[in-house]
Amino acid sequence: MCVNSFERFNGRRSGKGSQVAILAHGFGTDQTAWSALRPWFETRYDVVSFDLAGCGPNGADTYDFDRHGSLFGYADDLLEIMDDLALRDCVYVGHSMSGMIGAVAAVARPELFDRLVTVGASPRYLDDTGYTGGFQAADLDNLFDSMSANYQAWVAGFAPMVVGVDNGQVVADFSRTLFQMRPDIALNTSRTIFNSDMRSLAAQLTRPVHVIQTAVDMAVPVQVGHWLEAAIPTATLDIIDAEGHLPHMTAPDEVVRILERRLSANVA
């Protein structure tokens, strides 16, 4: 039996709207990360979600170390899912790494996208001349070494730091999905993300891009949001007065307020 990409990546589809909204999660989570926002989307859109390669209950079966050694492989997965479902003119919402995955796909095939929303996305995590990414090479080496030495201990420290606020339920949920990832896949995925440089894509984006991030994020400093706003010709920027890398989980009401303003005129 031939299984299409939507099924292989544990795809889920729901909602009442005529326009499709794709919800794409970030590193260490799975599509359940959208649970707080999904009801808002379902009353307005035909909602499509899936688990990224390496994530979710079937993550080990969907991950390929060569294909997913760059974000372009993930973008190919996304485009295959969109083709499987014959999707066009979609609103794409991508958290963290999925923000850049969507950007790759939208540059390659802009006709599939109406607009993009990125939440806590970064085109480059390493600092560079004239660019603040938030990390030095030594920081990343320490992170990779910690993941390799004791993945369980690393998750225990990493999850609350990324959540960034005192929210035990979100820390528990994030820890659960991190532990769901096979450690070698999690390590390779983190290397792919943190060593990526997607800045050249920014000027090539032609669809509207709504950039959302928190005022304090250990993974993506606020300077990155301002860089994206300046570099993407079609960008808007909204900075939430909140902390942490997972505002769709920790501050969903704040995210909804931005979505209502940016997408209200666009809802079919």
Side-chain angles (χ1 to χ4, degrees):
M1 180 180 176
C2 181
V3 177
N4 65 26
S5 291
F6 184 60
E7 295 170 334
R8 192 159 61 91
F9 290 105
N10 196 28
R12 179 186 172 195
R13 192 168 188 175
S14 62
K16 302 176 181 178
S18 58
Q19 186 176 29
V20 171
I22 300 174
L23 308 182
H25 68 87
F27 171 70
T29 60
D30 61 19
Q31 62 187 299
T32 62
W34 298 108
S35 295
L37 290 185
R38 192 174 191 115
W40 182 88
F41 279 100
E42 286 178 334
T43 62
R44 296 161 175 82
Y45 294 95
D46 176 4
V47 182
V48 169
S49 64
F50 58 95
D51 294 326
L52 292 175
C55 302
N58 305 317
D61 297 329
T62 59
Y63 190 82
D64 183 286
F65 280 85
D66 291 327
R67 179 183 178 94
H68 300 112
S70 82
L71 296 184
F72 291 93
Y74 292 93
D76 287 339
D77 294 340
L78 170 62
L79 292 172
E80 287 178 6
I81 289 169
M82 296 179 78
D83 285 341
D84 284 344
L85 301 178
L87 304 182
R88 295 292 185 274
D89 297 318
C90 300
V91 173
Y92 175 88
V93 186
H95 172 246
S96 195
M97 66 182 287
S98 280
M100 290 302 109
I101 291 167
V104 172
V107 167
R109 296 177 63 186
E111 72 280 2
L112 301 187
F113 298 84
D114 177 71
R115 61 193 56 237
L116 290 80
V117 178
T118 68
V119 182
S122 175
R124 178 184 167 100
Y125 292 85
L126 278 169
D127 292 341
D128 196 9
T129 303
Y131 176 85
T132 300
F135 294 87
Q136 298 289 326
D139 300 326
L140 299 184
D141 289 341
N142 289 335
L143 182 147
F144 301 145
D145 288 346
S146 296
M147 293 182 75
S148 300
N150 189 326
Y151 184 68
Q152 287 71 27
W154 175 79
V155 169
F158 182 74
M161 184 168 56
V162 170
V163 171
V165 295
D166 185 14
N167 188 319
Q169 185 59 58
V170 173
V171 171
D173 289 343
F174 187 38
S175 299
R176 173 185 58 81
T177 51
L178 278 167
F179 281 129
Q180 193 171 236
M181 295 185 76
R182 209 172 73 191
D184 60 331
I185 292 175
L187 174 60
N188 203 59
T189 304
S190 67
R191 289 185 184 276
T192 297
I193 297 166
F194 285 111
N195 289 318
S196 64
D197 188 347
M198 314 302 286
R199 290 177 294 177
S200 63
L201 290 173
Q204 301 177 56
L205 285 160
T206 58
R207 295 298 189 241
V209 180
H210 305 301
V211 178
I212 301 173
Q213 73 172 84
T214 59
V216 179
D217 182 342
M218 61 77 61
V220 183
V222 72
Q223 292 96 323
V224 171
H226 289 294
W227 187 93
L228 288 169
E229 180 187 27
I232 299 172
T234 56
T236 64
L237 172 64
D238 290 286
I239 298 174
I240 299 172
D241 185 17
E243 298 184 15
H245 188 58
L246 306 168
H248 54 311
M249 299 173 71
T250 59
D253 292 344
E254 295 298 319
V255 176
V256 162
R257 274 193 276 275
I258 294 169
L259 294 173
E260 287 179 339
R261 185 168 75 256
R262 297 300 184 186
L263 301 182
S264 60
N266 195 55
V267 176

